[in-house]
Amino acid sequence: MKNETVIAELNALLKGTYMGIRSMEHYIEKVADEELRRHFQSMQQETKHNAQILAERIQNLSGVPADSEGITGAMQGYLHRMMLSEDPKDILEDAIKGVDDYGVHYSEELVRGDLDPESKQIVEEVIDTNRRHADFLRQLLPQ
């Protein structure tokens, strides 16, 4: 597979990762519970680390990594922030949906192409992190 295609797929995942970072900021701003805030901060740090790894891989393939979620992502982020509830259960449900739908399922669809082995490994690690985050958030959800 040509590097340009791999770079494009990695950059799309990177933009989505930036959207995840921004969403975590929204949750951190809205949530009153200190412990839940710390959980979101920890997940945000892991997500930032994943963004850094993706950006490095894109650079190593002689590409230019995205530096934001893009215009569409920024608009979605703005709407997300305005519409987000302050209820902890609603925040958890929103976070689970976002991490599960976008961080796992959409990301898997996005990078379905033939990636080189190193890029594929990085993508799998990013998706695994998102999967762990979604599972953890489900455990926090009140029954």
Side-chain angles (χ1 to χ4, degrees):
M1 176 166 266
K2 293 195 186 295
N3 274 1
E4 297 85 38
T5 305
V6 173
I7 290 166
E9 288 185 9
L10 292 176
N11 255 327
L13 182 57
L14 180 57
K15 286 180 182 181
T17 302
Y18 286 134
M19 285 180 68
I21 291 167
R22 191 82 60 229
S23 291
M24 294 292 172
E25 284 176 13
H26 301 162
Y27 304 138
I28 291 164
E29 288 174 9
K30 292 274 186 175
V31 74
D33 180 84
E34 285 295 321
E35 185 177 357
L36 186 54
R37 182 180 293 127
R38 280 194 296 277
H39 288 312
F40 280 125
Q41 287 169 334
S42 175
M43 287 187 287
Q44 185 186 44
Q45 289 306 312
E46 287 185 43
T47 306
K48 285 180 179 180
H49 179 72
N50 285 341
Q52 182 180 7
I53 291 169
L54 285 167
E56 286 175 12
R57 180 64 187 148
I58 292 165
Q59 289 170 334
N60 290 342
L61 293 169
S62 301
V64 177
D67 59 1
S68 73
E69 67 269 32
I71 293 170
T72 303
M75 289 172 55
Q76 288 175 338
Y78 175 78
L79 292 173
H80 178 255
R81 184 175 185 210
M82 295 297 111
M83 298 178 73
L84 188 62
S85 168
E86 291 189 16
D87 179 80
K89 184 176 187 276
D90 292 343
I91 290 172
L92 282 169
E93 288 173 349
D94 187 82
I96 292 165
K97 182 172 176 27
V99 173
D100 216 20
D101 287 356
Y102 296 104
V104 177
H105 300 296
Y106 179 71
S107 295
E108 287 174 337
E109 292 291 320
L110 191 65
V111 293
R112 271 238 163 111
D114 297 320
L115 297 175
D116 61 276
E118 187 174 346
S119 297
K120 186 176 178 83
Q121 176 68 35
I122 290 168
V123 165
E124 286 173 1
E125 288 172 13
V126 168
I127 293 171
D128 284 346
T129 299
N130 292 332
R131 200 174 277 121
R132 263 190 312 101
H133 288 172
D135 290 344
F136 179 75
L137 290 168
R138 277 189 201 91
Q139 292 172 7
L140 296 176
L141 201 61
Q143 298 304 321

